[in-house]
Amino acid sequence: MTFQVRQIALKSNGEEIVRPTTVEGDELLIGRDSACAVHLPDLAVDPRHARAMLRGDGTLLVESLGEQPFEADGRSTTRRTVDLAVGAELGFGGHRIAVSRDGESGAAVLTVRRVEAVSESAEDIDLGTAFTLKGLLPGKRSSAWAFAALMLLAFLVAPIWSYATYQPLAMQKDARRPAGVHGDTAWSSGKLSLAHHNLENDCQACHTKAFVAVTDNACLTCHKEDAHSHIPDGARLLRARGEPQGVARFTQAVATAFNRPQGRCAGCHTEHEGAGAMPATRQQFCTDCHDGLRTRLPDSKLDDAADFGTAHPQFRPSLIAAVAPGGKPVFAQVRWAPGLKEANGLKFTHAQHLSHSNGVAQMVRRRPGRFAADDALGCQDCHKAEAGGARFKPVVMEEACESCHSLTFDEVGGTFRTLRHGEPEQVVADLRAFYRGGAPARPATLSGLGRRIPGDAARAASAADYARAVHFYPVRGDQAVAEVFGQGGMCADCHVITRGGGAATNGFAVQPVAQNTRYYHVGWFDHADHRKSDCATCHTAAKSSNDARDLLVPGLDGPGGCRSCHVGENGAKLTSAHVTDPVKSDCAMCHAYHMDADGPTGGKPWKPAEQRKSQGIVATAEANRPRRVALAR
């Protein structure tokens, strides 16, 4: 069964507007409630006044749901059966409903029309204004002008007056605004960060001129030591960014017109973004210049760089090219490539010490509890992290090597005498003194109880032999020196020995040793952030390296390369590396902007407090320069 409800409304010119609605079902409700199929907005009508039900004989039964009656063909009733073929007119308050049958579909048609402008039960009150305050409030036009004036007063006049009143405080040292409400705070776009929280009520400290954007001079008033220009030539910096195009060009023109030129500190270091730590610099601030830099500045020595995962130049580590006679390493920055070597002065092999099957591993198994693992040496047995965990300390022979590579040469009363590591002259002197300060063991034939051939001739021969040994005994000191420094000696096992030394070292010279503690000075790498990873994950060639000069630091791609995990800020997957656990990596993760290389954190990029806490990062005060490890203790 179907009902067709037709709501008829009149325009101001008397023209009718018909809004038809189809209601499926055998019955429908009539009432003031908006949920009723026939909605009659009249106070004389109950919310659920009546119900109309279709019968199988083609008639329509209309009955009241309460005690309130309705009109049927001019007569008041609470129940009426209507023959759809004949039709009827029902009255509910000021509305009339004509009931009929549709000639084509045979559906019941209810045509609703309002015939009275005002319901008698509403006490002559128009429903359109019965529940409004329209008659008690000013008109729309006067209200609009009043509110416009109020906005100008509150957000233009009051801020200007407040700023002008306190602006002279900017020229007074340690002057601050008094506590209270200040009109110009209405212009603030947000709370200051924790770094500038003490300037919350001191707007004029940064905004020194009305309607002029914050200048670099205002920033450098406080940031004298920890801020500097990215490059000395500001005009060159703007050329590196290039001319904006399209909407950006229009935006720049508007910004310039309102005293907001390009290249300011505030262009990257935005404020009023929340009462927390300043967010890390977004990648866009770097790529605006470095993406396509060679096109805009052909004379630049920097390679183009954009997202780390897709467009980053190969690393350029600083390697030890040579070691000066005084022991100072000479560094050279080269492009990373497989097979790079550096001159560190050692003959150490990682493969031999990390093996699980050679004599080194057997020695570890015979000394359980002495090393981190019980089957072979591990990286952590020799390499110790600094206090902050960012880098590793230089390997010290007495701590990492001497337990296996002993320098003991004599024992006196249970105390062992050891050659001094790193002091070749002292080693030679100790060996010579050892052989000069004593004598060969006395022959048994010269003792009182010794058995010898009878006669003084045999006794004299033994005495002559002993005297000869005593005379030549010091010469064995030079032989011992040759054995220590020569091929197969305890020094030659690890160090490069030449014959270019002086008399103090008996002609031997030990090449100075230098250990590189930081290979990448432009970028920052923190071992503390990777403490859950195994060393061999990145240093993949360590277990197979048979040359101490091998560069075991990974590069950008390939086995152990940084792109094996770090996929850039946009999280792009690489085709040259299988990324199992992608890590989003923006520029600020590895590159510092203002921090000097020799600063308190050694060039460590700044990170928000919550990120430092989550990654367990601890600041370290170690300098970033590679340190020379002398042979001395």
Side-chain angles (χ1 to χ4, degrees):
M1 295 293 186
T2 303
F3 290 93
Q4 291 186 5
V5 181
R6 299 175 180 174
Q7 295 277 357
I8 297 179
L10 296 177
K11 294 183 178 179
S12 58
N13 58 1
E15 183 181 352
E16 291 185 349
I17 302 176
V18 180
R19 299 184 177 89
T21 304
T22 301
V23 180
E24 300 291 339
D26 295 336
E27 64 178 44
L28 55 73
L29 295 178
I30 303 172
R32 180 160 40 92
D33 194 334
S34 60
C36 295
V38 180
H39 177 221
L40 306 177
D42 193 332
L43 292 177
V45 180
D46 286 346
R48 297 168 65 89
H49 197 120
R51 175 174 54 189
M53 296 181 293
L54 287 171
R55 292 181 172 181
D57 57 358
T59 60
L60 179 68
L61 174 61
V62 182
E63 59 180 355
S64 297
L65 296 177
E67 298 180 356
Q68 187 74 8
F70 59 91
E71 292 184 2
D73 293 332
R75 298 179 64 179
S76 179
T77 182
T78 60
R79 181 184 177 90
R80 175 68 181 271
T81 300
V82 180
D83 186 354
L84 295 178
V86 178
E89 184 179 75
L90 307 178
F92 293 85
H95 292 78
R96 296 292 180 268
I97 301 176
V99 181
S100 62
R101 183 194 300 274
D102 186 70
E104 296 181 359
S105 63
V109 179
L110 281 71
T111 303
V112 183
R113 185 191 304 269
R114 182 167 183 170
V115 296
E116 298 179 11
V118 179
S119 173
E120 296 177 357
S121 63
E123 298 181 357
D124 297 338
I125 299 177
D126 188 3
L127 292 178
T129 59
F131 301 101
T132 67
L133 300 176
K134 181 178 180 180
L136 303 177
L137 295 178
K140 295 181 179 179
R141 186 180 298 275
S142 58
S143 297
W145 282 109
F147 279 113
L150 180 62
M151 294 299 103
L152 290 175
L153 179 64
F155 299 106
L156 182 62
V157 178
I160 293 176
W161 179 83
S162 179
Y163 179 86
T165 303
Y166 297 113
Q167 201 275 338
L169 295 177
M171 308 306 295
Q172 303 177 22
K173 184 179 181 181
D174 299 330
R176 293 292 184 271
R177 295 185 179 190
V181 179
H182 306 288
D184 52 354
T185 57
W187 288 353
S188 175
S189 58
K191 293 288 186 179
L192 291 176
S193 64
L194 293 178
H196 296 145
H197 178 67
N198 61 326
L199 301 176
E200 201 66 61
N201 294 320
D202 191 16
C203 303
Q204 73 280 353
C206 300
H207 302 276
T208 56
K209 294 183 180 181
F211 300 104
V212 175
V214 176
T215 61
D216 290 350
N217 289 334
C219 300
L220 296 176
T221 302
C222 299
H223 297 276
K224 297 178 181 179
E225 302 296 335
D226 60 343
H228 55 80
S229 297
H230 189 39
I231 55 175
D233 188 354
R236 181 177 175 84
L237 176 61
L238 293 180
R239 290 199 304 273
R241 297 187 64 177
E243 290 294 331
Q245 304 295 329
V247 178
R249 190 183 191 92
F250 172 76
T251 303
Q252 177 187 338
V254 174
T256 304
F258 284 91
N259 297 310
R260 296 187 60 185
Q262 284 187 312
R264 300 178 301 126
C265 298
C268 296
H269 301 281
T270 55
E271 258 294 357
H272 296 285
E273 293 188 358
M278 278 189 175
T281 304
R282 292 187 295 113
Q283 178 172 286
Q284 179 183 354
F285 288 133
C286 304
T287 58
D288 282 346
C289 292
H290 289 273
D291 188 8
L293 180 65
R294 283 291 187 90
T295 303
R296 296 183 291 272
L297 293 178
D299 60 332
S300 175
K301 297 180 180 180
L302 300 176
D303 294 329
D304 293 342
D307 186 81
F308 182 81
T310 56
H312 191 281
Q314 181 58 268
F315 298 148
R316 296 177 63 86
S318 295
L319 304 184
I320 302 175
V323 181
K328 183 177 181 180
V330 178
F331 291 92
Q333 193 177 49
V334 298
R335 188 179 183 87
W336 188 93
L340 285 178
K341 300 182 183 300
E342 61 176 345
N344 50 26
L346 287 172
K347 294 192 298 184
F348 175 89
T349 62
H350 280 85
Q352 181 182 14
H353 288 75
L354 295 177
S355 173
H356 287 253
S357 59
N358 62 0
V360 176
Q362 294 295 333
M363 179 271 300
V364 173
R365 297 187 184 101
R366 288 195 297 268
R367 303 175 66 184
R370 172 63 179 81
F371 302 96
D374 294 333
D375 58 341
L377 285 177
C379 303
Q380 64 273 27
D381 290 321
C382 300
H383 298 279
K384 305 298 181 182
E386 295 178 344
R391 293 193 290 272
F392 280 82
K393 300 176 183 178
V395 177
V396 179
M397 189 272 181
E398 289 78 4
E399 298 175 1
C401 309
E402 194 171 21
S403 62
C404 300
H405 300 274
S406 176
L407 300 182
T408 300
F409 72 97
D410 188 24
E411 180 182 3
V412 179
T415 301
F416 295 96
R417 297 178 63 187
T418 306
L419 298 176
R420 301 189 187 184
H421 181 256
E423 300 181 33
E425 296 85 357
Q426 190 65 47
V427 170
V428 173
D430 288 344
L431 290 175
R432 286 174 173 172
F434 172 75
Y435 286 100
R436 287 178 181 175
R442 185 180 182 88
T445 56
L446 295 181
S447 64
L449 299 178
R451 297 180 64 185
R452 61 182 181 274
I453 300 174
D456 293 337
R459 181 178 177 179
S462 297
D465 292 340
Y466 180 69
R468 190 179 304 105
V470 170
H471 177 73
F472 288 103
Y473 189 70
V475 179
R476 294 190 58 189
D478 292 337
Q479 296 176 353
V481 170
E483 291 177 0
V484 169
F485 289 96
Q487 183 69 27
M490 62 174 64
C491 295
D493 283 344
C494 302
H495 297 280
V496 177
I497 310 296
T498 62
R499 295 293 295 176
T505 59
N506 203 21
F508 292 99
V510 180
Q511 181 177 328
V513 174
Q515 296 185 44
N516 197 344
T517 59
R518 185 173 181 183
Y519 289 90
Y520 298 118
H521 296 271
V522 178
W524 173 267
F525 180 85
D526 198 333
H527 283 89
D529 293 345
H530 301 77
R531 59 184 177 273
K532 295 183 180 180
S533 301
D534 186 71
C535 300
T537 303
C538 299
H539 304 282
T540 56
K543 294 184 178 181
S544 59
S545 172
N546 288 300
D547 191 340
R549 299 174 301 165
D550 289 341
L551 176 66
L552 303 180
V553 177
L556 191 63
D557 297 307
C562 296
R563 279 178 173 169
S564 299
C565 298
H566 296 274
V567 293
E569 185 179 71
N570 299 324
K573 292 293 186 70
L574 305 180
T575 57
S576 59
H578 180 62
V579 182
T580 56
D581 297 315
V583 179
K584 295 185 67 174
S585 317
D586 55 10
C587 302
M589 177 178 284
C590 303
H591 293 283
Y593 185 86
H594 287 306
M595 186 61 65
D596 291 330
D598 295 322
T601 60
K604 186 173 186 176
W606 177 88
K607 295 183 179 181
E610 61 274 10
Q611 190 173 355
R612 293 197 300 270
K613 183 178 180 181
S614 63
Q615 296 182 352
I617 296 174
V618 181
T620 175
E622 297 289 338
N624 73 314
R625 296 298 183 188
R627 291 173 288 180
R628 169 181 173 266
V629 181
L631 293 176
R633 188 186 302 270

